[in-house]
Amino acid sequence: MSEVKMEDIVSLAKRRGFVYQGSEIYGGLSGTWDYGPLGVSLKRNIMNLWWDMFVDSRDDMYGVDAAILMNQKVWQASGHVDTFTDPLVECGECKSRFREDQIDTSKCLNCGKEGSFSEARQFNMMFKTNVGPVDDESSVSYLRPETAQGIFTNYRNIVDSFYPDLPFGVGQVGKAFRNEISPRDFVFRSREFEQMEIEYFVHPGNWEESFEHWRQQVWEWLKALGLPEDKVHELEVPEEDRAHYSKRTIDFEFDYPIGRKELLGLAYRTDFDLMNIQNSAGKSMEYTIKGTNEKFVPHVIEPSFGVERALMAVLVSSYREDEQNGEKRVFLALPHHLAPVKYCVSPLLKNKPELVEKAREVYQALKKKHGNVMWDDNGNIGKRYRRQDEIGTPYCVVIDFDSLEDNTVTIRDRDTTEQKRVTISEITE
Ligand code: GAP
């Protein structure tokens, strides 16, 4: 496979209705993206896969869906109000602002003026807002910068409702917001994005075992996304680069066309968050081992997954170009379980009512079985195949005159382009 270029991914994503610039019609809003019909389907397939793997199919996991707006005390106790910052520098000439750790020049990237940057100051990345009609300090809230805190603040509720054995975990999928100084690289660094997070509560003496367990689970996840193993790298994050709450972090990095960058993180958060809540809310976060008097505040292993970065890695690793009958072909070799459209159904000719009728029958039967099935009777068959290849549809089914006689159809494979004859019941039952 030749090197995939970022422009190819961005262009295909826009052209075929995966991802559009947010508020594009008004000139856009930097760091925001809208998901089109195929993008939303791909994104949901990724999130559903995650939920199936890490919540539904496990006995030790619970799900939550906490409010995005939370009491400001959550973010004071968690340390985000004081420390969730990036270093910001401003150009004295054109007033453009940059993240200091992302520039390696003393020349302004906007106006080119040499030595015009201010001293760095810490810029808090949380979006601040006010809840209710009174605009004062007591009504301040923030759009959550991580879904994790909605889990920690519900830890006591879950323990009291379900009496889970330790270790157990809580998973959440939802929006997170960060006022990134320089959003960039397509959806990679967005201001509004989606996280899939697990807080896994463990006995303090067993954190290493659980850390290792989740490290292996992360690799299972990467396999399920269809990412080539040699494109993913573990980075043991040194202490000075770790988040304020972490005693150990492994970043799982992916070879994106923009370089090797963080895809997801695995952190040991100790009892940092539960202790902060205990101290600031004045409620016990202790867990008592059943049948004993052993009490302690659990420690936490946190695998934290970003949906957009997973989606971008999936698009990059499934993007292919080859040549068919002397013509360049672009296709997405998406794993079948992630493909937004599972089958495309066409009548050979759209002006033959008997073919259309039969094709509609097959279409309905496939739709009943697979949900996301597309109907396409535009242009010639070759063009239909190209369109479906570009959006990663694994199979195209064509109904022709023989289908009327013997109930067989032509089914074409996206990756090999091979066509074969199968009976309708073989694919619909
Ligand atoms: N609760 C821990 C936490 O939020 P993080 O490393 O800051 O840790 C976790 O974020 C994941 O969220 C990242 O690995 C990435 O996949 C995703 N993520 C973070 N910031 C993002 C952004 N601005 N745009 C898109 N995804 C982002």
Side-chain angles (χ1 to χ4, degrees):
M1 188 176 79
S2 60
E3 282 306 306
V4 180
K5 290 198 262 340
M6 206 54 228
E7 315 82 273
D8 293 333
I9 301 293
V10 177
S11 143
L12 185 143
K14 164 138 205 219
R15 191 171 69 247
R16 304 313 315 267
F18 282 88
V19 185
Y20 309 115
Q21 171 70 59
S23 313
E24 190 179 18
I25 206 134
Y26 287 109
L29 179 66
S30 174
T32 66
W33 298 92
D34 295 343
Y35 285 78
L38 298 180
V40 75
S41 177
L42 177 57
K43 199 167 139 180
R44 268 172 200 269
N45 290 343
I46 291 173
M47 295 193 289
N48 290 344
L49 176 70
W50 186 92
W51 195 267
D52 280 349
M53 262 178 93
F54 295 135
V55 182
D56 283 349
S57 70
R58 293 179 63 120
D59 295 331
D60 57 350
M61 286 291 301
Y62 299 81
V64 289
D65 185 12
I68 289 174
L69 291 172
M70 302 175 88
N71 191 310
Q72 57 174 284
K73 289 180 184 157
V74 170
W75 307 109
Q76 287 158 0
S78 68
H80 283 81
V81 170
D82 290 335
T83 59
F84 196 62
T85 55
D86 272 339
L88 177 147
V89 290
E90 188 175 280
C91 170
E93 185 74 10
C94 70
K95 306 292 174 214
S96 296
R97 291 173 166 192
F98 304 95
R99 227 176 98 172
E100 191 198 28
D101 55 347
Q102 284 178 350
I103 49 174
D104 53 6
T105 162
S106 54
K107 222 186 218 175
C108 174
L109 303 176
N110 185 45
C111 69
K113 173 103 175 158
E114 181 69 42
S116 63
F117 289 135
S118 63
E119 282 292 302
R121 70 174 170 90
Q122 292 303 317
F123 171 77
N124 195 298
M125 288 194 289
M126 287 197 293
F127 283 99
K128 204 173 186 182
T129 186
N130 290 86
V131 175
V134 183
D135 187 349
D136 66 10
E137 273 308 299
S138 70
S139 67
V140 165
S141 185
Y142 303 90
L143 299 186
R144 66 182 178 202
E146 60 168 11
T147 58
Q149 295 303 323
I151 298 180
F152 291 124
T153 48
N154 280 294
Y155 155 83
R156 186 79 261 164
N157 288 335
I158 289 169
V159 170
D160 291 346
S161 314
F162 296 93
Y163 309 107
D165 287 327
L166 216 65
F168 74 93
V170 181
Q172 174 163 226
V173 174
K175 292 269 187 178
F177 304 82
R178 295 183 189 179
N179 199 0
E180 297 281 355
I181 296 170
S182 320
R184 57 165 87 168
D185 297 325
F186 193 37
V187 296
F188 182 85
R189 193 173 302 286
S190 310
R191 289 187 165 133
E192 175 177 341
F193 57 99
E194 207 114 22
Q195 287 186 319
M196 307 178 284
E197 295 202 294
I198 293 166
E199 305 306 323
Y200 198 70
F201 300 98
V202 302
H203 188 289
N206 295 341
W207 76 267
E208 278 162 310
E209 193 185 307
S210 289
F211 193 92
E212 196 47 43
H213 167 76
W214 282 104
R215 185 187 198 167
Q216 298 311 326
Q217 288 300 298
V218 166
W219 280 105
E220 292 303 313
W221 165 249
L222 300 171
K223 215 187 290 169
L225 288 183
L227 304 187
E229 219 174 290
D230 63 343
K231 297 254 176 201
V232 183
H233 312 272
E234 287 190 18
L235 172 77
E236 186 75 48
V237 180
E239 189 180 350
E240 61 275 20
D241 294 339
R242 288 200 294 260
H244 60 280
Y245 47 71
S246 173
K247 272 264 169 64
R248 183 178 179 195
T249 298
I250 294 179
D251 280 350
F252 286 76
E253 299 186 317
F254 181 76
D255 292 326
Y256 292 100
I258 50 170
R260 186 177 291 184
K261 303 266 180 189
E262 179 186 334
L263 164 63
L264 64 96
L266 173 63
Y268 168 42
R269 280 181 92 127
T270 67
D271 57 0
F272 179 85
D273 300 273
L274 291 184
M275 283 304 283
N276 284 341
I277 294 175
Q278 178 165 290
N279 293 335
S280 112
K283 306 249 165 60
S284 169
M285 294 292 122
E286 282 183 328
Y287 179 92
T288 308
I289 298 274
K290 286 176 194 164
T292 75
N293 289 326
E294 192 185 352
K295 273 186 184 182
F296 51 87
V297 174
H299 282 217
V300 172
I301 304 300
E302 179 195 65
S304 176
F305 306 75
V307 178
E308 285 71 11
R309 292 189 189 179
L311 182 135
M312 199 164 134
V314 165
L315 286 178
V316 167
S317 50
S318 60
Y319 185 91
R320 305 271 190 287
E321 286 178 6
D322 67 4
E323 215 180 273
Q324 296 293 332
N325 307 323
E327 269 182 40
K328 176 181 146 184
R329 171 178 84 127
V330 171
F331 69 107
L332 289 183
L334 290 170
H336 291 195
H337 56 279
L338 295 182
V341 178
K342 308 296 182 208
Y343 281 85
C344 175
V345 179
S346 305
L348 181 65
L349 301 166
K350 72 172 179 186
N351 58 358
K352 296 285 173 200
E354 61 278 33
L355 291 187
V356 173
E357 190 185 340
K358 189 78 180 170
R360 282 278 171 201
E361 272 172 35
V362 176
Y363 169 73
Q364 291 301 349
L366 282 172
K367 211 166 171 55
K368 205 164 162 198
K369 189 171 171 195
H370 297 283
N372 214 341
V373 175
M374 199 180 264
W375 173 267
D376 189 358
D377 58 9
N378 282 321
N380 64 38
I381 292 289
K383 287 213 173 98
R384 294 178 206 167
Y385 287 159
R386 293 289 176 276
R387 276 198 292 272
Q388 296 303 320
D389 287 344
E390 268 205 321
I391 63 170
T393 307
Y395 301 111
C396 290
V397 172
V398 177
I399 284 75
D400 57 21
F401 290 103
D402 287 344
S403 312
L404 304 176
E405 302 298 321
D406 60 7
N407 272 322
T408 63
V409 292
T410 299
I411 182 164
R412 174 193 177 266
D413 183 290
R414 171 196 69 197
D415 300 338
T416 62
T417 73
E418 262 170 35
Q419 302 184 22
K420 60 179 186 179
R421 248 5 237 189
V422 297
T423 61
I424 292 173
S425 59
E426 263 177 79
I427 53 171
T428 57
E429 280 170 13

